[in-house]
Amino acid sequence: MDFTLDATQADIAALTADVLAREPADAWPALAKAGLLALALPAELGGDGLGPAEVAVVLTEVGRAAADVPALAALALGVLPLDRLGSPEQRARWLPAIASGEAVVTAAPHEPSAPFVTAPSTEAVPAGGGWALTGTKTLVPSLPEARCVLVPATLPWGTGVFLVDPCAPGAQVCGTTLRLTGVRAGEADLLPAGALADLHRFALAGAAALGDGAVAGALALTTGHVRRREQFGRPLATFQAVAQQIADVYITSRTLHLAALSAVWRLAEGLDPDEDLAVAAYWLAEEAPRALALCHHLHGGLGVDVTYPLHRHYGLVKELAAVVGGAAERLDRLGDLVES
């Protein structure tokens, strides 16, 4: 497997970086205007017919800039699962709206104390020719901005994923928590059987790609700082202890990059990505926060200055570590895969 970007992906990376640098205050509409939110849409819906690998490139560049945009939700939890699993009606309704920047669609794979739950406590019971959903979802990315949430729920015969309006009667949004009390959904709002496993894979792949960029961006800021900053008449980078710490951050960044690329490549090629996703998610949850703490240490007080971008990288990595379930959860999942 070649871990370098192909020509199309390199162009996407360059364009995304340029848009984010040029219009940081209006990054989301600018990304939409540049067509970068429509990469995975089919041609009949105004897209480029590309896939997870190209979407991951956009996510990585968003992470590198630590841009405050709903990219994880809209792309990894919205566009990719809907494009693969949605009905023609669901895709036509939501995909162009996401690509234009008019709507955010997200997903809710977590429940209280149960990340990436496979047997949801949220229940869907038949009601009036449709379904009534009751339960609580936590850590839902970009929930306050979302117009639609992909909600896993337990059915009488298994597990399903519903498209739910977070403003529907019986739905309550509190930060990143979604509470459902008899929220109605129709048969047309249900994704095909087996959708939950794919939803989890897209969520992990998206988080890994975004985290890859966030750590790489923090590393670039830190290496630039220690080259410029002097102590005792010498750049900080020339001190052995500083060089060793930067090397530790580089190792974390490079390992996460390779793990994320491998996982996304397998996902894009239709191969089993679960082991690679487990490794990438564990590295993101366990090692990436440590690397960002080192970056802060090497910056000194500048690292916590709100006018300096490092705090955005740190906040994003901490958020992503929680989104993937935390280090202990990811290590348990990785251990389960090894044992099986």
Side-chain angles (χ1 to χ4, degrees):
M1 177 175 53
D2 185 357
F3 282 108
T4 60
L5 300 181
D6 64 26
T8 298
Q9 293 166 356
D11 288 344
I12 291 169
L15 177 59
T16 306
D18 178 66
V19 169
L20 293 172
R22 189 175 64 247
E23 302 189 58
D26 297 300
W28 194 242
L31 290 171
K33 185 177 180 180
L36 291 163
L37 307 185
L39 296 176
L41 271 64
E44 62 268 22
L45 294 179
D48 298 292
L50 300 174
E54 289 74 25
V55 171
V57 171
V58 175
L59 288 169
T60 299
E61 294 306 315
V62 168
R64 196 185 309 274
D68 185 16
V69 295
L72 178 65
L75 297 178
L77 302 178
V79 167
L80 290 179
L82 283 175
D83 181 54
R84 176 173 291 188
L85 305 166
S87 67
E89 294 76 18
Q90 291 168 342
R91 295 163 79 206
R93 179 182 180 186
W94 291 113
L95 291 182
I98 299 171
S100 67
E102 297 173 6
V104 173
V105 174
T106 187
H110 305 315
E111 293 185 344
S113 301
F116 290 97
V117 61
T118 55
S121 60
T122 299
E123 292 185 333
V125 298
W131 300 90
L133 281 70
T134 299
T136 299
K137 300 295 184 180
T138 58
L139 286 174
V140 183
S142 303
L143 178 59
E145 306 160 72
R147 286 176 48 191
C148 177
V149 184
L150 276 60
V151 174
T154 296
L155 306 171
W157 54 82
T159 301
V161 178
F162 290 86
L163 276 64
V164 173
D165 180 356
C167 296
Q172 180 186 9
V173 173
C174 183
T176 60
T177 297
L178 176 64
R179 296 184 177 92
L180 307 171
T181 306
V183 174
R184 301 299 295 270
E187 289 291 340
D189 299 315
L190 182 61
L191 293 178
L196 184 57
D198 278 334
L199 179 61
H200 286 179
R201 292 181 181 113
F202 286 130
L204 290 174
L210 192 60
D212 170 20
V215 175
L219 174 61
L221 285 172
T222 308
T223 54
H225 173 74
V226 298
R227 287 193 190 105
R228 294 187 300 269
R229 178 73 172 177
E230 292 189 358
Q231 242 179 17
F232 308 111
R234 296 168 53 194
L236 286 175
T238 63
F239 290 89
Q240 184 178 27
V242 171
Q244 289 172 336
Q245 290 173 319
I246 282 289
D248 288 341
V249 178
Y250 173 81
I251 290 169
T252 296
S253 178
R254 185 61 178 168
T255 303
L256 178 57
H257 177 65
L258 295 177
L261 276 180
S262 179
V264 169
W265 176 80
R266 294 187 68 85
L267 187 62
E269 293 295 316
L271 303 172
D272 183 357
D274 289 343
E275 288 188 6
D276 294 72
L277 285 172
V279 171
Y282 172 69
W283 205 261
L284 173 59
E286 177 70 17
E287 298 297 336
R290 294 179 182 176
L292 266 293
L294 269 179
C295 290
H296 268 296
H297 171 69
L298 292 170
H299 274 86
L302 179 62
V304 294
D305 187 337
V306 295
T307 65
Y308 188 76
L310 184 61
H311 71 94
R312 301 202 312 266
H313 294 262
Y314 185 78
L316 178 56
V317 166
K318 292 286 283 186
E319 179 183 349
L320 291 172
V323 165
V324 299
E329 171 69 18
R330 295 323 315 173
L331 186 59
D332 286 345
R333 297 290 180 99
L334 183 57
D336 292 341
L337 286 172
V338 171
E339 289 176 0
S340 62

